[in-house]
Amino acid sequence: MPRSHLLAYPFRIFFLLTALFAVVVIAVWLGVLTGSIRLPAATSPLWWHAHEMLYGLVPGAVAGFLLTAMANWTGAPPPTGARLLGLAALWLAGRLAMALYGGVIPVVPAAIIDLAFLPALALVALRTLWRHGNRRNLPLVAVLAVFALGNLCLHLAMAGVAPGLARTGEYLALDLTAILMAVIGGRIIPAFSGNWLRRQGRDPELIRRQPRLDRAALLALVAVLAADALAPGSRVTAVLALVAAALHAARVIGWRGWHTVGDPLMWILHLGYAWIPVALLLKGLTPFVPAVPPAAWIHALGVGAIGTLILGVMTRVAVAHTARGLLLRPGGRAIYALITLAVLARLTSAATGATGALHLAGAAWIAAFGIFLVAYAPVLNAPRADGQPG
């Protein structure tokens, strides 16, 4: 029997599972919308959809990246083999529990199963960072802990215990994911861009890093999160979102992504991050401009920033960490084009209510992650090209 390499490093199995789940969850959701699939979930289908995108898909992608990155940050060996399989199985158990939520599996046991993954991931991260003295990244553990709290809020709403917590749970996940993308993106995007320019014989200083702006942009996102927790949808929250939009737009412009247009693996990261200020702008305009759909910012952040950055990071890490060079696999440009089409179509649907645009968005999303599976599954399940472990 051929040997599987999926448990040799965290990104391998979690990226594969994330892409597979991204295809399945949207295919199921389109079936629900057309009436061809009926969920057993004993809750609102819309809440189920929000939960599985925010507390299913996102944590799987975060686990793949974070567990891999922590090995680089600390020099600690990453979880592999049985330990890694246990974490992946815990995440999968949550997805199965939510698929059978309130039907085959009663609400309370299903919630307990699903709620287990984020604390487990936070515990692994805390143990690794603390043991190896990496205090700088300990705030990421706090983000995971609050993420778990948001999951609990949404579960309490779905179970009918506290329906008013649904929006809190949804917004916490969105804001926390934005913070994670801002922190991690702020490290890797300018660093990767500068290195790429250096390899091209160009000046890496074209990519500007502004520490004060970085801190202000992150603090603005934290303020938006706090406002969403205390006064979601308020004008105060909207004003804070507009301030955050301006700061993150300045950050993106300072990185000068147009200098990296020669490399799709680079410009896709800039494009993905650019959706963050767009989403914040839409969020800020919503209470003041009736023409802006209330859900527009959610889709700009969810499909635009989250979807694009997940694919951008996965396509890069998959080749870089398997020693295959920083080269886009065949079909990679189609992946990037399709995820961009997905967000544009989803925003069109939010603005017009057109079901055709909604279905196009779903089909483009499925195609983008489906092509990733076809192009990158062989890489994820193959040994490193240089023969080294990992």
Side-chain angles (χ1 to χ4, degrees):
M1 180 181 293
R3 176 189 172 192
S4 172
H5 295 271
L6 290 176
L7 299 178
Y9 227 85
F11 73 90
R12 291 177 177 271
I13 190 165
F14 273 109
F15 284 1
L16 186 69
L17 291 174
T18 295
L20 181 60
F21 183 68
V23 170
V24 171
V25 74
I26 293 301
V28 170
W29 182 237
L30 289 178
V32 171
L33 293 178
T34 58
S36 58
I37 294 177
R38 180 179 174 83
L39 291 172
T43 187
S44 160
L46 188 59
W47 287 357
W48 178 88
H49 169 65
H51 180 275
E52 287 306 277
M53 295 301 291
L54 297 173
Y55 292 106
L57 179 71
V58 170
V62 168
F65 177 84
L66 186 60
L67 294 172
T68 298
M70 283 194 305
N72 294 333
W73 297 340
T74 64
T80 58
R83 286 181 61 210
L84 180 57
L85 180 60
L87 279 172
L90 192 58
W91 180 83
L92 275 172
R95 310 290 53 79
L96 180 62
M98 293 308 299
L100 305 175
Y101 181 86
V104 177
I105 302 178
V107 168
V108 173
I112 292 172
I113 293 170
D114 176 66
L115 286 164
F117 178 72
L118 279 167
L121 180 61
L123 187 61
V124 171
L126 175 62
R127 184 180 179 185
T128 302
L129 296 173
W130 188 265
R131 279 188 170 185
H132 291 82
N134 192 288
R135 306 291 190 266
R136 177 193 179 196
N137 290 300
L138 282 176
L140 294 175
V141 178
V143 170
L144 292 174
V146 180
F147 224 115
L149 178 62
N151 195 12
L152 176 61
C153 289
L154 194 48
H155 268 290
L156 291 173
M158 290 191 295
V161 175
L165 289 178
R167 186 158 64 164
T168 301
E170 184 179 2
Y171 284 11
L172 270 177
L174 288 163
D175 293 340
L176 287 166
T177 305
I179 290 172
L180 280 173
M181 292 187 295
V183 171
I184 295 170
R187 294 180 188 178
I188 68 173
I189 296 174
F192 290 170
S193 300
N195 291 339
W196 183 82
L197 287 172
R198 188 177 290 107
R199 289 195 299 272
Q200 304 303 309
R202 299 168 62 189
D203 183 7
E205 296 302 319
L206 289 171
I207 308 299
R208 294 180 180 174
R209 302 189 193 195
Q210 304 173 73
R212 289 184 180 179
L213 175 61
D214 292 344
R215 287 192 292 270
L218 289 174
L219 286 173
L221 277 181
V222 173
V224 170
L225 182 147
D228 268 335
L230 298 173
S234 70
R235 295 194 168 210
V236 171
T237 306
V239 170
L240 289 172
L242 290 173
V243 172
L247 292 170
H248 284 273
R251 203 181 193 201
V252 171
I253 292 169
W255 292 340
R256 298 179 170 184
W258 54 87
H259 288 295
T260 67
V261 292
D263 185 357
L265 282 171
M266 281 311 319
W267 61 250
I268 193 62
L269 298 177
H270 288 270
L271 176 62
Y273 196 98
W275 281 111
I276 296 176
V278 171
L280 290 166
L281 175 63
L282 293 171
K283 182 183 179 73
L285 291 177
T286 299
F288 303 110
V289 182
V292 178
W297 76 271
I298 294 175
H299 299 306
L301 188 65
V303 185
I306 296 173
T308 304
L309 284 174
I310 284 177
L311 285 166
V313 168
M314 291 199 309
T315 50
R316 184 185 183 91
V317 170
V319 292
H321 279 265
T322 57
R324 283 170 171 79
L326 293 175
L327 298 173
L328 194 61
R329 298 276 294 173
R333 291 177 186 271
I335 292 172
Y336 299 162
L338 285 162
I339 194 62
T340 303
L341 174 61
V343 63
L344 294 175
R346 190 62 189 88
L347 290 174
T348 299
S349 172
T352 65
T355 56
L358 177 60
H359 294 158
L360 175 61
W365 172 283
I366 291 169
F369 281 93
I371 293 173
F372 175 86
L373 283 171
V374 172
Y376 286 87
V379 171
L380 294 172
N381 195 31
R384 283 175 58 99
D386 58 5
Q388 295 297 313

